[in-house]
Amino acid sequence: MTSIQKPVSQAHRGNTRFRSAMAAVLASVVLSGCGVVNNMIYKTTGDVMQGFSRNHTVPYLLESDDLAMGCAMSEATAPLLMSFGRVTSEPDQLAVMLYLSAGGCAEEQAREHELDGLAALRAMDAEEAEDAMIRQKRALSLAAKRYHRGWKHHNAFYGKPDAGECPDFDDDLGEFIYMAGLLSGLQALNAEIQSTSSIGVPKNIGSTVSRATRCLENDKWWGAPMALRATVWAMIPGALPEGEDPFERLEIADAQGEEAGVRISHVFHAIAAQNKGDEERLRDVIRSHAQAIEETPANEEWVFVDAMATDMIVAISDRLWMENTGHRTPMGQLGTFWDDEKEAVETMDLDDLL
C-alpha cells in the first residue's frame, strides 16, 4: 500500500504546481489585458470628446453672448480635453479655440489691473499704481503664453502659415478656426510686448499672419481678414505695401462687418488707431460700433464673436474714461465721451401760464 500511495502524492504535488503556474499565466494575461482594454476605452473616450467638442460645443458657444461663461469653460476644460492627446491624436484644432479663449481670460484680467492702476494714479497713490501695473504685466505674460500655445497648435494642425500653400478646409468652422489661430499668434506677440517679458514668441508673426490672411475669403468673414492684414500694415514699420492705405482698408472692412452683424473689424481698427496715437479716429470707431450694435443685431451663428468685439471696444472706451474722469464708461453710454457737447434741451416758459 505504501508503494502505491507515494506516486499518488507526487502526482498531486505536480498538479498543484501546474495549476499555480497556469494561474500565474492567466493573471498576467488578465492584468495586461486590463491595460489594453483601458487604453482602448481611453482612446475611444478621447475621440468622442474631441469630436463632440468640435462639432457641438464650439458651435453652441459661438451662438452664445455669455463671454464670462465661455472664459470659465475654456480655463476649466482645457486640461481635461488636452490630456486626451496622451492616448489618442493630439486635439490641435480644438486647442486653438481653447487657448485663444483662455488667453482672452488672462488679458481681461490684465485690463482690470490696468484700470486699477489708472485709478490709483489719479488718486496719487504711487505704490498702489505700481502694484497694479505689476499685476497687469503678469497677467499679460500669462495671456502671451496661452496665445502662443494656441498658435503652435494652429501650426501643428494647418501647417506653418509661411510654408507657402493654403490648407484645405473641411468646412466653415475649420476655416474660422484657422482665422482664430492667426489672431492668437498676433495676440501672443502683442501681449508679450506689453508684458515686457520674453516667452519666445517669434517676432515675425505679424508679417506671417498678414500673408496667411490671404487664405481666407474676405467677404465671407465679415471683412476681418482684410482688417487683420491692414492692422499689421499700420503697426509694423515697413509692412505697408506700396499704394495701400491701411485705414482706408479698415473703413471698408468696418462697413462689411456692420452689415454682417459681426463687428470684429472695429477692434482691429481701434487697435491701429491707438498705435498711431489718433484719439479722434479711435473715438469715431467706438461711436460707430455703439451705433452699429443698436441698429443691426448680431449674426445668430457668430454671436460670441460679435460680443467679444463689443467687450474689447468697451475696454478701450473704459480706458479713455478712466484716464480722464476716474471712472469707466457709464452704463448705456458707450459711444459717448465726457467732453461731448450737451444737446440743447427745449424748455417751456411757464411765466405766461401764471
Side-chain angles (χ1 to χ4, degrees):
M1 292 292 291
T2 305
S3 63
I4 295 174
Q5 290 176 346
K6 186 174 181 181
V8 172
S9 177
Q10 289 176 344
H12 177 71
R13 287 196 298 271
N15 288 337
T16 301
R17 285 195 296 269
F18 176 76
R19 286 195 298 269
S20 297
M22 286 300 297
V25 171
L26 286 172
S28 176
V29 170
V30 168
L31 290 174
S32 63
C34 287
V36 172
V37 171
N38 283 340
N39 285 336
M40 290 177 62
I41 292 173
Y42 295 155
K43 183 181 186 306
T44 301
T45 303
D47 291 339
V48 170
M49 289 292 289
Q50 287 188 40
F52 183 84
S53 299
R54 198 260 187 210
N55 296 325
H56 296 284
T57 305
V58 172
Y60 177 84
L61 182 63
L62 289 171
E63 294 176 2
S64 166
D65 65 351
D66 195 330
L67 299 180
M69 187 153 311
C71 178
M73 186 203 76
S74 297
E75 289 190 315
T77 63
L80 171 64
L81 294 174
M82 294 307 299
S83 68
F84 285 114
R86 295 165 62 95
V87 294
T88 186
S89 59
E90 193 77 19
D92 291 310
Q93 193 179 37
L94 184 60
V96 174
M97 297 301 297
L98 288 172
Y99 286 115
L100 176 62
S101 180
C105 301
E107 192 168 10
E108 178 70 22
Q109 293 174 356
R111 288 195 289 265
E112 289 298 313
H113 296 322
E114 180 185 29
L115 292 178
D116 289 343
L118 291 172
L121 284 174
R122 286 185 61 85
M124 305 296 287
D125 188 340
E127 292 180 348
E128 175 60 26
E130 183 177 4
D131 183 68
M133 291 176 185
I134 292 170
R135 284 181 280 135
Q136 178 193 5
K137 290 182 178 181
R138 288 180 179 178
L140 284 168
S141 181
L142 176 60
K145 291 176 183 177
R146 290 176 174 179
Y147 286 138
H148 192 215
R149 289 190 71 176
W151 170 253
K152 289 190 286 189
H153 282 289
H154 171 275
N155 291 351
F157 187 84
Y158 293 101
K160 293 185 178 180
D162 55 1
E165 294 185 4
C166 293
D168 294 324
F169 301 114
D170 294 330
D171 52 21
D172 286 351
L173 183 58
E175 192 173 349
F176 170 76
I177 294 176
Y178 180 84
M179 181 170 66
L182 299 182
L183 178 58
S184 189
L186 202 60
Q187 289 290 81
L189 179 60
N190 188 44
E192 183 189 57
I193 293 171
Q194 291 186 68
S195 71
T196 66
S197 63
S198 178
I199 63 167
V201 178
K203 299 304 182 284
N204 66 338
I205 277 186
S207 57
T208 300
V209 166
S210 178
R211 291 192 298 271
T213 57
R214 299 185 185 278
C215 295
L216 300 164
E217 296 182 36
N218 192 59
D219 294 339
K220 179 179 181 179
W221 297 109
W222 339 293
M226 184 68 254
L228 190 55
R229 188 156 62 247
T231 302
V232 172
W233 293 347
M235 295 179 65
I236 299 179
L240 181 64
E242 186 177 352
E244 287 284 3
D245 183 339
F247 288 102
E248 183 179 319
R249 291 287 190 177
L250 284 164
E251 288 171 4
I252 295 172
D254 286 351
Q256 290 176 296
E258 290 166 10
E259 183 179 355
V262 188
R263 275 81 45 150
I264 191 68
S265 63
H266 284 152
V267 177
F268 300 136
H269 198 162
I271 291 172
Q274 273 187 312
N275 186 67
K276 290 294 184 183
D278 190 343
E279 185 173 318
E280 189 55 43
R281 178 181 289 275
L282 181 59
R283 291 193 186 197
D284 287 342
V285 173
I286 296 171
R287 291 190 186 100
S288 295
H289 187 85
Q291 182 178 350
I293 60 177
E294 288 292 329
E295 295 178 349
T296 307
N299 186 305
E300 293 181 357
E301 295 182 24
W302 307 101
V303 174
F304 194 86
V305 180
D306 194 61
M308 182 175 66
T310 297
D311 184 67
M312 295 180 76
I313 290 293
V314 170
I316 294 170
S317 176
D318 283 347
R319 191 181 192 281
L320 292 173
W321 275 88
M322 183 65 76
E323 285 179 328
N324 289 275
T325 68
H327 61 76
R328 305 164 193 247
T329 310
M331 291 292 292
Q333 295 189 40
L334 180 65
T336 66
F337 298 94
W338 58 95
D339 54 356
D340 287 345
E341 291 185 11
K342 305 299 181 183
E343 293 184 7
V345 179
E346 284 190 30
T347 57
M348 182 181 294
D349 188 351
L350 299 179
D351 290 344
D352 294 339
L353 300 178
L354 300 177

